[in-house]
Amino acid sequence: MRAARPVESRLPEILEGISAPRTPDYFDDILGQVGRTRQRPRWTFPERWLPMTALSERVATAPRIPMRMAVVLALLLLALALSIVLIAGSQRPSVPAPFGVAGNGKVVFADQSGAIVTGNVSDGTTKVIVSGSGHSRPVFSPDGTLLAYLQRGGRDIVVSDPDGLSPRVLNTNALGTIGHFGWAPDSRSVIAVIGSDIIAFDAARAREPKVIVKADGGTSFSYLDRFNNNLSDLFRPPNGDEILFVGKGPKGMGLYRKPLAGGAPIAVVTDQDLDSTWSSNQSGAQWSPDGTKIVFSVHPAATPDFGFAYVANADGTDLRRLTKFDIPDAVIDEEHASWSPDGTRIALARWINYPDGNVDPRPVVIVDVATGHEVEASNREVNGYNGWSWSPDGSLILEVPGDGSDDAAKVMQVDAGTGQASELGWTSPNAASWQRTVPTN
């Protein structure tokens, strides 16, 4: 047996074979077979449609955001969302709070023909918004967005937009004589005193009204002032959850608070506190704008037809006469008191009755509640008013004299600081109402 040759001895042969390879004997057979076989179509190759780099490159991962940058981005997104909310909110009309100081809008009144008219105090211009006759006692809602008035000689209550558009009659049956006429604090109901009851009419549509308070026994709300269609004549600020009435209660005749939710009347001042004559038609009881105090007229027993203006806390404490005005031997009568929107002043009507029978009716008197300082309006004396009330911002008083003289029914404005009065060039047989708006400053 021959021994295997070492690889070193065969190395020259191996290298020669690699450098000069020979074609295998079966090469021609393979070429023939390939030529006879149909090739795959070009369109089936992916690289004909997609870049191969898109398939071969590694998928990149999202870069990590530092925590500080993430917090800043979140705060920016939150600020953007709040801005959107604020902008959207600013598109809604703003309305004033139902009590207290507000901006001065338009004045509305019924003219001598019975049409409803709006006036601009700044330039004296007017515009008829409800034409025709038989309309009276227009009054704006506390939020300034609606207008209520009477038509057909007071047989219907109508509510419209503040410019008189879209009117709707609220009552389903003809009404009786209406005493106090105004609004609920939420501007959703029109309030009317009919007989001895307080009735609420839905401001949105005609339906059966709701009796808020049904008077019983000697209770009456006829004291409510038609001279001043002020919201706080009736509802206690700021929640509107109590009303005032003059009549008989647990402590005798006097002024009482009545919770609308029910319960026994709460005495404010009665004949047990003052030597006075209380009657159901006693005028001038009114809440202060913050609901903590009440102004009213007290008629001494010696002069049951005449009284002085008094102020007391809502619980009857700190009872005191408002003014120090007095004339020896004369009888003073102070009625129809009304708080300024900021609660610092009270305006009232005053009559001086002399022993010889002469009566001196005075203009509206404005009294500082804290000091008792008085400012008397400089207009002529009038024996009564069709209506008067404060401007929403407390700077002016709007008067409609109604004593039957030549100057009666001429709408006037009085500067509440100086007492200076001027005519506006308008006439009305009824009280005027001032629209409350959102203050601009």
Side-chain angles (χ1 to χ4, degrees):
M1 185 172 112
R2 191 174 62 178
R5 295 173 60 190
V7 67
E8 294 84 353
S9 63
R10 293 188 294 114
L11 185 58
E13 297 175 7
I14 294 173
L15 294 175
E16 181 181 2
I18 293 173
S19 63
R22 293 174 297 173
T23 303
D25 296 335
Y26 52 82
F27 183 74
D28 291 336
D29 295 333
I30 292 174
L31 289 177
Q33 183 177 354
V34 170
R36 292 190 300 271
T37 303
R38 185 177 180 180
Q39 298 299 305
R40 177 181 172 186
R42 288 184 298 173
W43 61 267
T44 62
F45 290 87
E47 60 267 24
R48 297 292 298 174
W49 305 98
L50 299 174
M52 294 308 295
T53 56
L55 300 177
S56 61
E57 288 182 353
R58 181 174 60 89
V59 177
T61 58
R64 296 184 62 186
I65 300 176
M67 180 60 67
R68 180 179 300 176
M69 184 178 295
V71 172
V72 172
L73 180 60
L75 291 175
L76 289 174
L77 292 174
L78 179 60
L80 178 61
L82 290 176
S83 299
I84 294 173
V85 171
L86 290 175
I87 292 173
S90 66
Q91 304 304 313
R92 305 189 195 99
S94 298
V95 295
F99 301 102
V101 179
N104 296 341
K106 296 179 180 179
V107 173
V108 67
F109 58 95
D111 66 12
Q112 302 286 45
S113 71
I116 303 295
V117 181
T118 56
N120 191 327
V121 171
S122 62
D123 59 15
T125 58
T126 60
K127 178 183 178 182
V128 175
I129 61 171
V130 181
S131 58
S133 60
H135 306 101
S136 62
R137 302 179 68 183
V139 57
F140 283 114
S141 60
D143 63 9
T145 64
L146 296 172
L147 175 68
Y149 57 90
L150 303 179
Q151 72 175 15
R152 294 202 306 148
R155 288 179 289 177
D156 290 333
I157 295 176
V158 182
V159 165
S160 72
D161 295 345
D163 52 8
L165 299 177
S166 303
R168 50 192 176 274
V169 176
L170 303 186
N171 52 291
T172 56
N173 300 299
L175 302 174
T177 301
I178 294 178
H180 182 78
F181 182 60
W183 286 85
D186 62 6
S187 297
R188 295 181 179 179
S189 301
V190 177
I191 305 299
V193 174
I194 301 177
S196 297
D197 300 334
I198 299 177
I199 314 292
F201 294 83
D202 189 334
R205 61 191 183 279
R207 60 187 300 181
E208 285 298 313
K210 178 181 179 181
V211 178
I212 294 181
V213 176
K214 189 170 184 61
D216 53 356
T219 302
S220 174
F221 301 97
S222 57
Y223 78 91
L224 286 169
D225 218 335
R226 290 185 59 173
F227 288 94
N228 316 311
N229 280 332
N230 292 333
L231 178 71
S232 53
D233 276 348
L234 182 59
F235 297 94
R236 181 179 184 177
N239 301 320
D241 53 358
E242 290 184 347
I243 59 174
L244 295 170
F245 77 86
V246 175
K248 189 173 183 179
K251 293 187 177 182
M253 288 293 293
L255 179 65
Y256 286 85
R257 294 156 39 203
K258 185 174 182 65
L260 292 178
I266 303 169
V268 180
V269 177
T270 71
D271 51 14
Q272 296 181 15
D273 305 302
L274 286 175
D275 179 18
S276 57
T277 301
W278 296 91
S279 60
S280 60
N281 64 349
Q282 202 147 9
S283 63
Q286 189 188 89
W287 298 101
S288 63
D290 62 2
T292 63
K293 292 180 171 54
I294 303 169
V295 63
F296 51 94
S297 183
V298 174
H299 293 191
T303 56
D305 295 327
F306 309 107
F308 294 110
Y310 275 73
V311 175
N313 293 332
D315 61 1
T317 59
D318 196 23
L319 175 66
R320 63 183 177 88
R321 186 182 165 193
L322 174 65
T323 73
K324 301 175 182 178
F325 184 85
D326 199 7
I327 296 179
D329 301 324
V331 176
I332 310 301
D333 190 24
E334 297 171 339
E335 309 284 352
H336 316 299
S338 179
W339 291 89
S340 64
D342 64 1
T344 62
R345 293 160 294 169
I346 292 174
L348 53 84
R350 176 183 285 159
W351 288 261
I352 303 172
N353 302 272
Y354 292 100
D356 60 5
N358 289 325
V359 178
D360 181 14
R362 304 304 305 166
V364 167
V365 179
I366 303 161
V367 185
D368 186 287
V369 177
T371 66
H373 175 72
E374 295 186 4
V375 174
E376 187 176 69
S378 61
N379 62 304
R380 66 175 185 82
E381 301 171 359
V382 291
N383 190 23
Y385 292 88
N386 286 331
W388 64 271
S389 59
W390 289 87
S391 64
D393 69 355
S395 65
L396 299 169
I397 290 177
L398 202 65
E399 297 181 354
V400 184
D403 63 356
S405 67
D406 293 338
D407 290 333
K410 288 187 177 179
V411 182
M412 309 177 70
Q413 62 174 337
V414 176
D415 186 305
T418 65
Q420 185 64 39
S422 60
E423 294 181 1
L424 290 169
W426 314 334
T427 58
S428 174
N430 305 120
S433 172
W434 215 314
Q435 184 183 29
R436 294 165 51 84
T437 62
V438 176
T440 57
N441 50 21

